[in-house]
Amino acid sequence: MSTLTTRVFMNGNSQAVRIPAQFRLDTQRVEIRRNADGDLVLHPLRQDRGHALLQALEGFDGEFVAALEADRDEPPRLQDRESL
């Protein structure tokens, strides 16, 4: 694994790091965390991260969606409970 030194600078109110071309990321978003040694770890997030969820939601038919919406609009029923 190669190692380079780069520059840290302020970008508005955020601290930023210049990523050299050799380490360029093919993504618009990253997940960032600090490991036990204190190192920052960047993990690229896939562009189509919500695509699987959207595909799953397309599988529901109109009747199911209408039932969910009707249930949402009704106030919850009161439960019969013993007095305290």
Side-chain angles (χ1 to χ4, degrees):
M1 183 183 291
S2 62
T3 302
L4 295 175
T5 301
T6 190
R7 192 169 67 90
V8 177
F9 59 96
M10 293 302 293
N11 183 12
N13 288 330
S14 298
Q15 191 176 38
V17 176
R18 183 187 169 282
I19 299 175
Q22 297 92 321
F23 296 106
R24 184 167 287 149
L25 301 169
D26 187 23
T27 187
Q28 295 294 314
R29 299 176 63 87
V30 295
E31 180 179 85
I32 185 170
R33 65 180 170 83
R34 189 179 298 271
N35 67 16
D37 294 328
D39 299 329
L40 294 179
V41 179
L42 299 176
H43 179 75
L45 296 177
R46 292 183 17 205
Q47 300 282 352
D48 61 348
R49 197 164 185 197
H51 184 68
L53 174 60
L54 292 176
Q55 279 187 322
L57 292 175
E58 288 175 2
F60 295 115
D61 62 3
E63 184 179 328
F64 180 77
V65 173
L68 285 177
E69 289 174 345
D71 188 48
R72 180 190 65 198
D73 294 338
E74 293 178 15
R77 292 179 294 187
L78 293 176
Q79 297 177 352
D80 292 327
R81 295 187 175 192
E82 293 180 26
S83 299
L84 295 177

